[in-house]
Amino acid sequence: CSAAAPSALLACNELWQAGASRAELLAICAELGSDVPFSLVGGAALGTGRGEVLTALDIGGTFHWVFAMAHHGLSTPAVFREFDRLAEGRDIPAPVASQDLLTALAKGDPDALAATLTNDLQPAALSLFPELADTLAAGRAAGALATLVSGSGPTTAFLVRDAEAAALVADALSACGTCRDVRTAAGPVPGATVIEG
């Protein structure tokens, strides 16, 4: 699991007294996967390169999310192949960070952030797993500010205004029968650390 790898690296570094620097640990994380370094850094960061080169972002508040896990998985390579198929013949521009998104994060404004959220992989994920659209619709109907497939799926993410709204959306998603589990989260949160004790 990408989220657990940095904690395991930190634990091994401490246990074996390897003395690896933060930069060395980040390099190891990047070798494990493009999304692994983020869990070591934490907070909010802009990913470039393959996603492994991170620049910390200032966040002006706490954002509340609901995540719904689907009843079955979705292959990341299959989603990327479907993205390529759907994009065939189109000119795909290099990704550029949205200034509106960065401003919304800095201001801590969930409404402004909701207006900027997109996922280029979402059409491919929905093409392979159309039932995800039902989960997205259920979250939207329950009051989520924004709904999207998380990464290549099959988890779906719902931005909400506050903890109370998160509870309402989570209850609605749990009741709708389109997902196996629902979790709420608020962030940003710190990255992996070693707790002295």
Side-chain angles (χ1 to χ4, degrees):
C1 171
S2 297
S7 295
L9 279 173
L10 284 174
C12 290
N13 192 41
E14 288 293 311
L15 179 67
W16 297 330
Q17 298 179 349
S21 69
R22 191 79 163 171
E24 290 169 321
L25 291 171
L26 279 169
I28 294 168
C29 286
E31 288 180 32
L32 295 173
S34 295
D35 57 345
V36 177
F38 179 77
S39 293
L40 182 64
V41 173
L46 176 64
T48 56
R50 299 181 331 266
E52 83 287 6
V53 179
L54 301 174
T55 302
L57 298 175
D58 290 326
I59 304 300
T62 299
F63 291 96
H64 296 269
W65 295 89
V66 179
F67 296 94
M69 283 58 79
H71 288 289
H72 62 81
L74 190 56
S75 163
T76 298
V79 171
F80 276 90
R81 282 191 301 273
E82 182 66 359
F83 173 85
D84 290 342
R85 186 187 72 77
L86 293 173
E88 190 173 347
R90 290 190 356 229
D91 200 17
I92 306 296
V96 177
S98 161
Q99 189 55 54
D100 290 341
L101 182 140
L102 297 175
T103 299
L105 288 171
K107 289 183 176 179
D109 184 341
D111 292 295
L113 181 62
T116 68
L117 294 178
T118 62
N119 177 0
D120 292 344
L121 293 176
Q122 183 163 313
L126 292 174
S127 174
L128 296 174
F129 194 164
E131 297 85 358
L132 292 177
D134 296 334
T135 304
L136 294 172
R140 195 174 307 107
L145 300 174
T147 66
L148 67 159
V149 173
S150 177
S152 60
T155 299
T156 47
F158 306 85
L159 177 64
V160 296
R161 186 162 283 111
D162 53 31
E164 183 179 329
L168 291 172
V169 170
D171 287 346
L173 289 168
S174 293
C176 77
T178 63
C179 46
R180 71 174 163 79
D181 196 13
V182 178
R183 301 290 170 100
T184 61
V189 297
T193 59
V194 175
I195 299 173
E196 302 293 333

